[in-house]
Amino acid sequence: MSIPRTALLGCISLAFSLTIAAAQTPSATPVQRQPAQPQAAPLPWMNTSLDPDTRADLVIHEMTLDEKIQLVHGAGWGVLRAGAPVAAGHNGGAGFVPGIPRLHLPDINLADSAYGVRMAALQSRYATALPSVLGMSASWDPDAAFLFGAVIGRELRAQGYNMSIGGGMDLIREPRNGRNFEYSSEDPILAGTMVGKIAMGVQSNHIMGDIKHYVLNDQETGRNTLDALLDPRSLRETDLLAFQIAITMANPAGVMCSYNRVNGDYACENEYTLNQALKRDWGFKGFVLSDWGGTHSTVKAALAGLDMDQPGDDNFFSEPLKQAVLSGQVPQTRLDDMVHRIVRSLFASGVIDQPPVRTVVDPFQGRDDAQKIEEESIVLLKNTAATLPLSASKLHSIAIIGGHADVGVLSGGGSAQVDAPNGNAVEPKPGSSPWGKAIYFPSSPLRYIREQATPNATITYDPGTDPAAAAKSAASAQLAIIFVTQYTMEGQDSATLSLPDKQDDLVAAVAAANPNTIVVLENGGPVSMPWASSVKAILESWYPGIGGGQAIANILFGRVNPSGKLPVTFAATEADLPHPQVTGLTERTGNNADAVTRNQPRQRPQPFTVDYNVEGMAVGYRWFQLKNKQPLFPFGFGLSYTHFAYSNLKVSPDAKSVSFTLRNTGLRKGDEIAQVYVTLPASADEHFRKLAAFRRVSLAAGATQSVEIPLDPLYLSIYSTADNTWSRPTGDYFVEVGGSSESLPLHQTLNLAAH
Ligand code: BGC
């Protein structure tokens, strides 16, 4: 974008009256390298009354070609790869782009931060481990999502970063995907809303936010080579819709394109997803950055919409891009657009006007926030005979078994991994978390259960490594609580839905020994539970974060009433999934397809396709409806220690809102997540109900509330590939309201004429 010269001169003269030091906080030390002190004239783009685009244009006008090129690629693998050079000013995160001090442009320091800031240990810093993103999404609470992002943003800021590269939100098409814990949901509206709110929370701290991995990076197996196929309408109405919602809500600085191909072209050189959908159709003003090593070309990528190559050591966007600009293969205007997007994001986020200031992270506040979010996110999946909540006065003995519950709670691995304070709770060692090693955080469920159950009850702990010994321990107690874990991480998928390490046998043995067995799950994504019918209660705690032990105990003993609901379907068996096997996962690929980016000597799979047209728009719960299959636990499901009754549904004639009455019919205060599903007219050719709105409602025992929820017309619309428009079909809309995708007591048909 260029601006007329007269406007430019006007801005410069206006800026003479401004002081240069306006962006500095006098009493604190800014984190970025100090820009050189300008000598004479104030820099016009430091005028904070100008809009970010004007300010960006003013800077770009002063930049040399080399300076522009410098901004559009990272400075290499840095601390991520042993032996790689680490640039001066690099803050120890995953990425670094050197600034231009003479123009007052700061270094960009990017940090992985999916559920907390990564790689803090290398710098002896502390970072709060929040629950997994999938877990947090089980709260269905946009305020919790905002808080989640705000914790990350404030800790990035305290640690001297100015850009987050968290914000994962690929749809859960593959329940065995090793990164599902970084993602939000199988439903585009829930995922888009929650991840958009995370980005808003991050950016509320003047940190540039990011949303990734754009797009269809829905499995890890073969992620660098696979071609994800999905017809354009389904793509728009599912995976792209999730990104559209989050991006238009949060206006993040960055969108990270993924490793895989999308309908033939790599995601980082994909004209349709980058230029057409993201930039033209949704008006995205920020910049597209590649996943680390996800750039495959110079000219094609630049012309298709990639704005920043990371980590940059492949040289696609350094000298080769300069030459491509000089030869005209990439127009100068396109390079200026790339730079404009980056620089306007620095201004829009506040990174330049309010740069991060190093502070000691507040671990207490972080832990409280993490615990609060986890308490909203734990899902009570089963509770026969009101086994829960436990009553300390009636308990005399509890056998706790497995899951390292004596020392801590599990976390998810890969580039999302947050370092645990004092090293891994299971195998203590100082330093950063090794790639591929399951890390436990020191929040011991046993400790907090003991606090609430004593002095009445005797508590024993058995590690669960020997089913016979665990059964013996369970048999001698009044109640057994067994913790089961599923470690998942970036770069590899689970081959099955089963819990690893024969834990199904362990649960079966314990349940056979004690009829009062409660199972607590700590897992990355959906798992099968062949023992479900033989245990009394099941709690889904996801990866619970640093406040997890206490949150779990608070739910078990009823200090907190469970309220989370599943953001993803739990299938009974792999045979019920659209893809009974993880596509491309063979013995040869060895359950790890990440050989290139992690520099490990593993066999890389040959290119292959993942055909998402099998299910198309029918992702997750929609597939189970279409195929008439009964999941183990449906999308949107979760129990409470109280009960809720729905009545009196009214759908406004213009389909702009629904209202209904919600009553807490039990004896405890509780939160209900009310869900609105809509089946579109037959002409839409969808044939399933889909989530259209939701609301978390808090109700005192016996209280009644009238709830009104707006309906976004976009969510009742279908996408036409012929003319690239969304429209609401005419005909009968079947609206259903209730507490899960499979329990919808209220319904009404609404006929909508053409509009
Ligand atoms: C991951 C990204 C991450 C990047 C930098 C890649 O392997 O896919 O999510 O941000 O590494 O660590």
Side-chain angles (χ1 to χ4, degrees):
M1 188 188 298
S2 63
I3 54 171
R5 181 138 185 88
T6 45
L8 189 70
L9 289 172
C11 291
I12 290 172
S13 63
L14 171 71
F16 269 112
S17 59
L18 298 166
T19 52
I20 272 304
Q24 307 285 334
T25 311
S27 57
T29 313
V31 165
Q32 287 98 18
R33 285 185 298 160
Q34 288 292 300
Q37 284 300 310
Q39 286 128 28
L43 302 173
W45 49 89
M46 293 309 295
N47 177 354
T48 54
S49 69
L50 299 176
D51 66 77
D53 293 301
T54 305
R55 294 174 78 180
D57 283 339
L58 288 163
V59 188
I60 292 166
H61 188 263
E62 299 298 318
M63 286 169 80
T64 65
L65 177 59
D66 284 333
E67 285 171 337
K68 291 176 183 175
I69 294 289
Q70 178 187 322
L71 278 193
V72 298
H73 63 87
W77 283 90
V79 297
L80 287 184
R81 193 168 269 177
V86 179
H90 193 298
N91 196 39
F96 177 73
V97 179
I100 305 171
R102 81 174 184 93
L103 301 177
H104 206 102
L105 291 184
D107 301 334
I108 305 177
N109 270 296
L110 307 93
D112 279 310
S113 37
Y115 62 91
V117 182
R118 182 189 178 205
M119 293 196 304
L122 283 173
Q123 318 285 338
S124 298
R125 300 172 185 148
Y126 177 82
T128 296
L130 293 155
S132 64
V133 181
L134 183 63
M136 182 278 295
S137 298
S139 73
W140 297 57
D141 180 357
D143 293 340
F146 186 91
L147 175 63
F148 188 101
V151 173
I152 290 172
R154 80 174 177 241
E155 296 193 1
L156 285 167
R157 188 171 172 76
Q159 295 188 25
Y161 292 104
N162 52 19
M163 181 158 186
S164 159
I165 44 170
M169 69 168 298
D170 294 272
L171 282 199
I172 301 181
R173 282 181 181 270
E174 175 46 77
R176 292 150 295 192
N177 177 0
R179 298 188 86 169
N180 282 339
F181 73 92
E182 293 186 56
Y183 302 148
S184 173
S185 177
E186 65 193 20
D187 182 85
I189 293 170
L190 182 59
T193 305
M194 299 303 272
V195 178
K197 286 285 180 182
I198 293 177
M200 288 171 73
V202 168
Q203 299 201 146
S204 69
N205 287 279
H206 305 298
I207 297 291
M208 291 193 286
D210 171 58
I211 295 185
K212 71 185 184 184
H213 307 92
Y214 188 68
V215 58
L216 284 178
N217 185 178
D218 296 348
Q219 67 171 49
E220 288 298 280
T221 303
R223 66 177 179 168
N224 287 289
T225 49
L226 72 80
D227 186 9
L229 304 182
L230 185 58
D231 75 90
R233 176 179 166 197
S234 299
L235 183 57
R236 287 280 185 165
E237 293 190 27
T238 56
D239 297 62
L240 284 186
L241 178 59
F243 279 92
Q244 178 177 355
I245 293 167
I247 287 163
T248 51
M249 173 196 292
N251 299 313
V255 168
M256 183 189 291
C257 50
S258 54
Y259 286 130
N260 53 291
R261 295 176 193 256
V262 178
N263 291 328
D265 285 328
Y266 279 111
C268 290
E269 52 183 43
N270 195 303
E271 167 71 24
Y272 181 75
T273 55
L274 300 181
N275 275 343
Q276 178 66 37
L278 176 65
K279 292 184 173 176
R280 280 201 283 277
D281 296 345
W282 310 337
F284 173 62
K285 289 187 166 163
F287 60 97
V288 177
L289 68 163
S290 69
D291 198 345
W292 269 229
T295 307
H296 293 270
S297 59
T298 299
V299 175
K300 182 173 180 186
L303 295 182
L306 180 67
D307 302 304
M308 180 188 279
D309 173 32
Q310 285 288 1
D313 67 333
D314 50 25
N315 289 330
F316 285 120
F317 274 22
S318 51
E319 189 59 24
L321 180 60
K322 182 179 171 184
Q323 292 312 321
V325 171
L326 289 172
S327 69
Q329 282 179 289
V330 172
Q332 178 70 47
T333 49
R334 172 64 189 120
L335 176 65
D336 287 350
D337 174 51
M338 293 156 84
V339 176
H340 179 95
R341 289 168 173 278
I342 296 165
V343 176
R344 69 97 53 204
S345 301
L346 289 166
F347 286 118
S349 60
V351 158
I352 291 184
D353 300 331
Q354 285 157 294
V357 176
R358 281 189 204 280
T359 323
V360 177
V361 164
D362 182 347
F364 306 105
Q365 185 63 53
R367 186 191 176 290
D368 287 354
D369 291 340
Q371 182 183 329
K372 178 180 181 312
I373 294 169
E374 173 66 2
E375 286 174 347
E376 283 195 17
S377 305
I378 290 176
V379 184
L380 178 61
L381 292 173
K382 180 174 181 185
N383 192 18
T384 306
T387 300
L388 296 177
L390 301 175
S391 167
S393 61
K394 294 190 193 133
L395 281 171
H396 55 75
S397 59
I398 308 177
I400 311 272
I401 295 161
H404 298 291
D406 55 334
V407 291
V409 290
L410 183 58
S411 60
S415 63
Q417 183 71 62
V418 176
D419 294 328
N422 209 24
N424 195 347
V426 165
E427 190 189 321
K429 55 175 138 169
S432 195
S433 313
W435 188 263
K437 175 96 190 151
I439 303 292
Y440 285 75
F441 278 73
S443 179
S444 153
L446 173 62
R447 172 185 157 190
Y448 294 105
I449 290 171
R450 184 171 275 144
E451 263 180 28
Q452 299 202 36
T454 49
N456 288 352
T458 318
I459 310 230
T460 58
Y461 177 72
D462 179 281
T465 40
D466 169 14
K472 197 165 162 219
S473 150
S476 60
Q478 185 186 1
L479 180 85
I481 306 178
I482 175 163
F483 287 78
V484 291
T485 58
Q486 178 209 34
Y487 175 64
T488 61
M489 65 170 288
E490 174 180 346
Q492 63 184 52
D493 300 319
S494 302
T496 70
L497 291 172
S498 301
L499 286 168
D501 306 325
K502 300 200 165 77
Q503 291 178 92
D504 285 339
D505 296 346
L506 177 68
V507 180
V510 168
N514 190 321
N516 295 315
T517 293
I518 297 163
V519 179
V520 179
L521 293 143
E522 292 171 26
N523 47 327
V527 290
S528 54
M529 303 177 210
W531 34 261
S533 62
S534 57
V535 301
K536 281 271 165 61
I538 305 172
L539 268 195
E540 171 57 81
S541 76
W542 315 102
Y543 294 141
I546 190 67
Q550 191 156 11
I552 290 167
N554 283 348
I555 297 267
L556 287 171
F557 285 88
R559 282 190 188 169
V560 173
N561 192 351
S563 56
K565 302 225 180 188
L566 293 180
V568 61
T569 304
F570 277 46
T573 144
E574 294 82 6
D576 290 345
L577 299 171
H579 306 269
Q581 271 106 37
V582 178
T583 313
L585 178 53
T586 63
E587 278 178 31
R588 215 184 114 263
T589 56
N591 197 14
N592 190 313
D594 204 23
V596 168
T597 54
R598 293 296 157 199
N599 212 11
Q600 291 159 355
R602 291 201 181 89
Q603 180 79 53
R604 191 175 175 178
Q606 293 300 308
F608 61 95
T609 57
V610 181
D611 189 5
Y612 291 125
N613 291 310
V614 171
E615 71 275 23
M617 285 182 279
V619 187
Y621 61 97
R622 304 168 179 183
W623 172 261
F624 284 79
Q625 283 176 60
L626 270 187
K627 298 292 165 184
N628 210 11
K629 289 176 193 276
Q630 190 56 44
L632 175 62
F633 296 110
F635 175 80
F637 173 78
L639 301 170
S640 164
Y641 297 150
T642 187
H643 296 280
F644 298 94
Y646 289 78
S647 60
N648 203 23
L649 173 65
K650 290 197 187 76
V651 184
S652 69
D654 57 1
K656 291 271 170 62
S657 69
V658 294
S659 64
F660 53 91
T661 304
L662 189 61
R663 189 156 71 91
N664 179 345
T665 58
L667 301 173
R668 282 169 183 267
K669 174 181 181 292
D671 286 9
E672 167 69 332
I673 296 159
Q675 301 157 46
V676 181
Y677 292 83
V678 177
T679 306
L680 299 191
S683 63
D685 200 22
E686 293 188 349
H687 315 294
F688 47 72
R689 75 177 73 95
K690 54 185 185 183
L691 185 72
F694 59 90
R695 170 76 56 81
R696 190 179 171 102
V697 184
S698 200
L699 281 179
T704 300
Q705 191 175 314
S706 165
V707 181
E708 183 172 344
I709 314 183
L711 284 179
D712 188 326
L714 177 66
Y715 306 161
L716 305 186
S717 300
I718 60 173
Y719 179 80
S720 159
T721 46
D723 52 7
N724 187 23
T725 55
W726 290 85
S727 63
R728 227 173 43 186
T730 54
D732 286 343
Y733 287 71
F734 190 57
V735 181
E736 295 170 279
V737 177
S740 116
S741 64
E742 297 278 313
S743 169
L744 297 160
L746 307 182
H747 55 85
Q748 187 183 321
T749 301
L750 179 74
N751 186 278
L752 285 181
H755 63 104

